[in-house]
Amino acid sequence: MIAYNTALELKTKLLGEGHLDVGQTYNNMGVLMEFQGKGSDAIKNFEKAIAVYKKTKGDDDPLLATAYTNIGSAYKAIGNFDEAMKNYSQSLDIKKKQLGEEDPSLANLYGNLGFVYG
C-alpha cells in the first residue's frame, strides 16, 4: 500500500486531484483494500474513483461501470446488500448502453446481482 500512497501523492501533485490517472490509482487502491478485507476503506477509495471518472469521462464510461462493480463488491463483502445491488445495477445500466443488451460480458454482473438477490 505504501507504493500506491506514494503514487497517489505524486500523481495528485503533478496532475491534480481530478486527473484520470488519480482516479485509476484510487480504484486500484480500493481493489487492494477489499482483497485485504478492508471493505470500508475500499469503499472510500472507490467513491473517490467514481467522482474522478464522472468528472473526466462522463456518466456512461466503461471505467465508471468497472468502479461501480468494484464498489458493489466491497459493499457485498461488508454485508450491505442494498448498496451492492444499487451499484451493480448502475454498472449494468452503463454496460448495456455501451455493449448492448446481449453482450456475453454482462453475465458476471447478472451473477453478482443474483448473489445479492439470493
Side-chain angles (χ1 to χ4, degrees):
M1 186 57 74
I2 293 170
Y4 275 129
N5 285 326
T6 302
L8 181 62
E9 183 180 318
L10 286 171
K11 287 179 183 182
T12 302
K13 180 180 176 182
L14 298 172
L15 303 172
E17 178 69 27
H19 194 275
L20 180 62
D21 286 352
V22 172
Q24 290 175 314
T25 302
Y26 280 129
N27 188 70
N28 292 343
M29 290 171 73
V31 170
L32 178 60
M33 288 178 174
E34 184 183 353
F35 180 76
Q36 293 174 334
K38 301 174 184 174
S40 295
D41 291 331
I43 289 165
K44 290 175 189 173
N45 280 284
F46 291 136
E47 288 172 342
K48 290 176 182 178
I50 287 168
V52 172
Y53 292 159
K54 282 184 173 184
K55 180 180 175 185
T56 59
K57 304 293 277 178
D59 290 331
D60 291 329
D61 190 80
L63 283 174
L64 183 59
T66 298
Y68 280 131
T69 298
N70 290 344
I71 198 171
S73 295
Y75 276 118
K76 180 177 75 172
I78 65 169
N80 188 335
F81 298 117
D82 290 339
E83 283 297 315
M85 180 73 67
K86 180 182 100 175
N87 285 283
Y88 285 149
S89 295
Q90 287 176 297
S91 179
L92 184 62
D93 290 344
I94 293 168
K95 288 190 175 197
K96 281 182 181 178
K97 288 178 190 174
Q98 295 294 319
L99 304 171
E101 296 278 336
E102 296 185 18
D103 190 270
S105 67
L106 299 178
N108 286 340
L109 275 171
Y110 282 114
N112 290 339
L113 285 166
F115 177 86
V116 175
Y117 275 122

